Amino acid sequence: MRLKNRHVLGWLEAAPLALVLLAFLIAPIVMIVIVSFWGATEFSIYPAFQFDNYEFLFGSPVTYRVFWATLKYAFITWALTLVIGFTAAYFLAFHVRSLGMQVALFLVCTIPFWTSNIIRMISWIPFLGRNGIANQTLISWGVIDEPLEWLLYSDFSVLLAFVHLYTLFMVVPIFNTMMRIDKALLEAARDNGASGFQTLVHVILPLTKPGIMIGTIFVVTLVMGDFITVRFMSGSQSANVGRLISNDIALLQYPSAAATAVVLLATVMIVIAILLRFVNIRKEL
């Protein structure tokens, strides 16, 4: 009887959170899936059950180019944020001895997040522009003779903005995981003659995999769902899936936008499922 009452009490405690998830997560996704099968004209949308939106989506070569560009941005951003984030987290966790200094340096990393993403992103434009600080400095130093056109409104500027915006999402989980590593393991590795590199590869890296995986999921999902960064930093010369959805919404083509969103969601879920095959996060944490 007591066990039954505990189960009932557990369900009652979980009910408010379940209702919140149902109302703000499950219900909107279900609605998007339903609308993706609707039809649309130039001036209206109408309920239906048809596959026209998906047929058009998968029948257009533009779709495959845009999805490839999105995956390319996600992969390159992930690689760069992983290198930068792991290095920063490693320095904070193992080279900064004072807890107060660790907290201070970590807060320094969060300073860019005190402003909005758009402001941080747009701040690169006067720096990278043809007459911007970067080009003028390189010319004054004699490194180049004329401004570099590819610094702004290119894939380079898009990736630079992505790395700037999302590196902290890689630093935080990796740093959190590294701080939980027992320092006695590092001392044991050194006592057994392991070099710093061997300790990093065989001790620290395996124990940091959960943090790396969580950071990877954050960065990949954020990049694949982003659209404003690509729009501003490429000068509307590049596109990703987010921009494709945004353009459809601007044209009031909600069923088409919903279909693209469903495919994007499925793609992200497949990527996450593949990532989770490498590390069981629940078991490791």
Side-chain angles (χ1 to χ4, degrees), residues 6-24:
R6 287 180 181 177
H7 281 297
V8 173
L9 184 61
W11 280 105
L12 291 175
E13 290 176 349
L17 180 59
L19 290 175
V20 171
L21 291 176
L22 181 64
F24 295 101

Side-chain angles (χ1 to χ4, degrees), residues 73-74 76-90 92 106 108-113 117 120 124 158-176 211-212 214-220 222-223 229:
Y73 286 142
I76 297 175
T77 304
W78 165 78
L80 294 174
T81 55
L82 177 59
V83 172
I84 298 171
F86 188 91
T87 303
Y90 181 85
L92 288 174
F106 187 79
V108 169
C109 293
T110 66
I111 287 177
F113 282 77
N117 280 9
R120 286 186 287 139
W124 283 105
V158 172
L159 291 169
L160 180 63
F162 275 144
V163 171
H164 178 212
L165 292 174
Y166 300 132
T167 294
L168 191 63
F169 290 94
M170 187 68 78
V171 173
V172 173
I174 294 177
F175 174 71
N176 180 60
I212 293 174
I214 294 171
T216 298
I217 292 173
F218 282 154
V219 171
V220 170
L222 287 169
V223 172
T229 303

